[in-house]
Structure formats: C-alpha cells, structure tokens
Amino acid sequence: MKLISVAHIDSPDVVDIGLTQMLSSIVDNDDAILDVHLIGGFNDVPHEVRHKNCVSHDNEKWEGYSFPLCSKIVDTMGKSTNIFNIKTLHVLDHNTTRDSKGNACPIFNGFLVETATGSIFPATFDGTTRCPDELIRRIRVTSSFEDLSWKGRLLETYDTLSDRFIIAPCTWSAHQKQIALGLQNLCDPEILRICSTSPSAEPPHFVDDLRRQWEYLIKHPDWRETFPGKHPRIFVRTANGGWDRLLLD
C-alpha cells in the first residue's frame, strides 16, 4: 500500500517542521525511497526588477516569494537523512508563462493526486469540487496565526488512511472581526494589492473567496461557534461520493 502526504507550503519558515510533519505520517523505515513531486511555485520576480541592473534591499522584491521557498525545500531535503527521489520539479521558470500584458503567471495552479497509486495530474477546481468545509478551511488558514498551538505547523486536513476530512479546531480572537470589517470595505483592486503576493496571477474568484471568509468572521466572531467544545469538524464519504459531516456528542 502506498502512503501519500500532500502539503501546501507557502513560507520558508514552515518548511523544516512541515517536512517533519509529513514524514512522520508516512515513514517508518529510514531506507525507504520517497518519491517527491514539487509543483506550483513560479517565477514571480517583478518584471521591472528582472530587467534592470539595480540593487534592492527588499529581498522579497528582488527574489520574489517562490525562489526562497523552493530553495529552502530542496535544501532541507538535501540535508535530510531520508532518501528522496525527485520525480517532478515543476517550479520557477519551468512553471511560468506570461499573460497578454507580460505578467508572470503559473502554468499549473493545482493538481490531482490519486492516493491509491501516487500518480499526479494537472487540475483546476471550481466551486463544486473543493471538498467539504471549504470556507472553514480557508478561514482556518488565515486565522491560525493567533492560535499558538498551530504556530509553525502545517494545518492537517485530509486523512488518507480513514478517507476522512478532519478539520482540527483553530481559535481566533474577536479582533478578526474588526480586520474583516475593514477589509470588506475595500474595493476589489485594493484587496488584490493588499492580500495577494501575485495580484496579476490570481484566479477570478480570489476576491470573492476572501469576501466570503470575511463575511463569515463578521457573523461568527467567536471561534466556539465553529468548533464547539474545541472538537474537530469531521466529514465522511457517502456512498454516492459526497461528504456528510459526522456530528459529535
């Protein structure tokens, strides 16, 4: 049986502990050869920086966001005692195209993993194919910085062994409502500028997704409404391929 671990990592700061989390769920033999697929990061260095002989003291502007992240992941794997077989390295220039205005965009925004075989396929997902509790999962990602129990850790979501979505609880303060109220009043272009590291590469639903999150936080500022008793939100697969929430006593 193949064991699969999939993670979305968007900061070099969580690479070390994130990789440790992933390995702890699938590795019980130091001699195991682990297939790796690294996909998603694109060459997001601003066009004007790439084509000017200038010196910048702003590393994020000079290097972009993807290069430091990809470098950290590869460097961490190289220093690990585990054996990695990199089968896919579709990042940076290999995953970069340009739109009609010359803005850099990723070729692949997402992929599908067949957990039975470990095979991966390029994929896009509309609003009907994002699996259960999509809104709460989004809120948990953006609000978890206030929950010290998740500091530096990846947020676990899907358990391949039980075929369940287990949305572990996350706490947030009432301050999130104030943040949401302020952001909700901004126009769409301003939201893109403030909330995205690559505004020109975001999908059309990016701003709408954020507004849905903020609307939820405004209506439910107390995290206990979302995670009563600090219990996880668990979803099990139905016979027809859908998902039902398992209600806990």
Side-chain angles (χ1 to χ4, degrees), residues 6-249:
V6 181
H8 176 99
I9 299 176
D10 58 7
S11 170
D13 295 337
V14 298
V15 168
D16 289 319
I17 194 167
L19 190 60
T20 298
Q21 270 184 264
M22 295 176 72
L23 293 174
S24 68
S25 66
I26 60 174
V27 175
D28 56 8
N29 179 0
D30 288 341
D31 295 327
I33 299 177
L34 305 172
D35 291 343
V36 176
H37 302 275
L38 188 59
I39 304 169
F42 69 107
N43 198 336
D44 54 1
V45 177
H47 183 77
E48 66 273 13
V49 174
R50 295 186 69 190
H51 294 277
K52 287 184 179 179
N53 293 321
C54 60
V55 176
S56 172
H57 297 290
D58 185 342
N59 286 336
E60 287 182 350
K61 183 176 181 181
W62 182 249
E63 296 183 329
Y65 290 89
S66 295
F67 179 77
L69 174 59
C70 294
S71 297
K72 176 64 175 179
I73 293 173
V74 173
D75 182 60
T76 301
M77 289 192 297
K79 294 176 180 178
S80 172
T81 57
N82 296 101
I83 304 172
F84 296 102
N85 175 30
I86 299 181
K87 301 194 71 172
T88 306
L89 191 65
H90 209 281
V91 296
L92 302 177
D93 282 347
H94 296 292
N95 189 39
T96 303
T97 185
R98 295 197 173 271
D99 63 18
S100 59
K101 297 180 180 179
N103 298 310
C105 302
I107 297 173
F108 295 128
N109 286 294
F111 60 94
L112 180 71
V113 180
E114 188 177 65
T115 56
T117 65
S119 300
I120 63 169
F121 311 91
T124 56
F125 304 91
D126 62 22
T128 65
T129 57
R130 295 177 183 171
C131 294
D133 233 13
E134 179 235 350
L135 181 59
I136 302 304
R137 287 187 283 123
R138 287 179 177 275
I139 290 171
R140 197 177 62 147
V141 169
T142 57
S143 301
S144 62
F145 72 91
E146 289 192 324
D147 190 334
L148 295 181
S149 67
W150 285 107
K151 185 176 182 180
R153 295 173 56 204
L154 297 178
L155 295 169
E156 299 173 9
T157 301
Y158 176 69
D159 185 345
T160 56
L161 294 179
S162 65
D163 190 26
R164 290 183 172 188
F165 273 84
I166 303 175
I167 318 301
C170 170
T171 66
W172 58 80
S173 72
H175 182 57
Q176 289 291 325
K177 177 180 179 179
Q178 302 306 315
I179 296 175
L181 284 168
L183 292 171
Q184 194 72 292
N185 289 326
L186 299 177
C187 63
D188 289 2
E190 191 69 3
I191 290 173
L192 267 174
R193 186 185 69 81
I194 292 175
C195 300
S196 173
T197 57
S198 304
S200 62
E202 297 296 355
H205 52 76
F206 178 80
V207 172
D208 287 341
D209 288 340
L210 288 175
R211 290 195 184 279
R212 288 193 298 119
Q213 293 172 224
W214 299 332
E215 186 64 28
Y216 184 93
L217 288 169
I218 292 168
K219 291 181 178 179
H220 307 281
D222 189 341
W223 64 269
R224 296 173 185 84
E225 297 179 46
T226 305
F227 296 103
K230 213 171 184 179
H231 292 305
R233 297 164 68 95
I234 300 175
F235 293 81
V236 296
R237 196 184 296 272
T238 62
N240 63 4
W243 297 92
D244 279 343
R245 185 176 175 187
L246 183 64
L247 298 179
L248 303 175
D249 295 332

